[in-house]
């Protein structure tokens, strides 16, 4: 069966910055034998580094570019999609990404977000602004504001586990 003939819905991973969406997405896709779309990587291939694009063009232009890339790159079904942390914020993008998909929130506490961000090289940090000042309080506020939306889209998965275990949990939920 080719990708265009797949009857399975896409599996979409959502969550805050550094929740593990890219890593878990790649592992899950390999486990399922499905293609993997990392939205941030597809977006950066088209617009360059996200922080630089946002600084030059603003967040509204970034969200429009994100939606355009998603519309062009979203597989028709049977793929694992790792969404950007804020991809689900605009309603139109959320619908495009999540309608008909199996959605999983990779949930992590603020301290884990900060530890994972600090471990990344600066060029890989899509949200470098989260590391300055009272970073823990800022991450906690933003994460708590987004968590209800993220959780309303699908099943919550503890993403503090090793990435391979998170992929295994999602695969088991998909099979069950």
């Amino acid at each position: 069966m080719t990708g265009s003939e797949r009857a399975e819905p896409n599996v979409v991973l959502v969550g805050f910055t550094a929740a593990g969406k890219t890593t878990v997405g790649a592992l899950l896709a390999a486990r399922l034998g499905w293609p993997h779309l990392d939205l941030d990587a597809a977006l950066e291939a088209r617009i360059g580094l996200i922080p630089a694009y946002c600084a030059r063009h603003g967040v509204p232009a970034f969200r429009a570019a994100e939606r355009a890339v998603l519309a062009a790159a979203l597989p028709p079904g049977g793929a694992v999609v790792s969404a950007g942390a804020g991809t689900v914020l605009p309603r139109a993008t959320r619908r495009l990404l999540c309608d008909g998909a199996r959605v999983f929130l990779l949930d992590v506490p603020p301290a884990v977000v900060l530890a994972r961000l600090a471990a990344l090289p600066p060029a890989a940090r899509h949200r470098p602004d989260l590391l300055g000042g009272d970073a823990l309080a800022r991450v906690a506020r933003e994460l708590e504001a987004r968590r209800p939306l993220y959780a309303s889209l699908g099943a919550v998965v503890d993403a503090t586990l090793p990435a391979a275990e998170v992929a295994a949990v999602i695969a088991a939920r998909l099979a069950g």
Side-chain angles (χ1 to χ4, degrees), residues 62-91:
F62 166 71
R63 292 292 177 213
E66 182 178 53
R67 191 168 31 264
V69 168
L70 179 61
L74 188 64
V80 177
V81 181
S82 298
T87 302
V88 298
L89 297 177
R91 184 182 311 269

Side-chain angles (χ1 to χ4, degrees), residues 69-113:
V69 168
L70 179 61
L74 188 64
V80 177
V81 181
S82 298
T87 302
V88 298
L89 297 177
R91 184 182 311 269
T93 308
R94 183 170 59 246
R95 271 194 296 246
L96 177 64
L97 179 67
C98 299
D99 279 359
R102 298 275 311 265
V103 182
F104 294 88
L105 162 61
L106 302 189
D107 196 29
V108 291
V112 171
V113 169

Side-chain angles (χ1 to χ4, degrees), residues 4-174:
S4 63
E5 297 168 341
R6 289 184 188 269
E8 300 93 344
N10 285 331
V11 172
V12 175
L13 305 180
V14 299
F16 199 69
T17 301
K21 299 175 300 289
T22 296
T23 303
V24 171
L27 292 169
L28 181 61
R31 184 181 192 106
L32 298 174
W34 291 5
H36 176 233
L37 170 64
D38 181 278
L39 186 55
D40 282 344
L43 191 55
E44 285 193 336
R46 184 168 229 183
I47 67 169
L49 294 176
I50 292 170
Y53 186 90
C54 287
R56 278 193 315 274
H57 303 285
V59 174
F62 166 71
R63 292 292 177 213
E66 182 178 53
R67 191 168 31 264
V69 168
L70 179 61
L74 188 64
V80 177
V81 181
S82 298
T87 302
V88 298
L89 297 177
R91 184 182 311 269
T93 308
R94 183 170 59 246
R95 271 194 296 246
L96 177 64
L97 179 67
C98 299
D99 279 359
R102 298 275 311 265
V103 182
F104 294 88
L105 162 61
L106 302 189
D107 196 29
V108 291
V112 171
V113 169
L114 289 176
R116 289 178 180 177
L117 281 175
L120 291 174
R125 296 178 189 155
H126 292 266
R127 293 290 309 277
D129 59 309
L130 291 178
L131 291 175
D134 187 354
L136 188 59
R138 187 169 35 261
V139 169
R141 275 191 311 273
E142 195 167 332
L143 182 56
E144 286 310 309
R146 289 184 184 188
R147 188 175 274 130
L149 173 61
Y150 288 149
S152 74
L153 299 173
V156 178
V157 178
D158 177 3
T160 62
L161 301 168
E165 288 181 39
V166 176
V169 166
I170 294 171
R173 289 187 186 180
L174 291 169

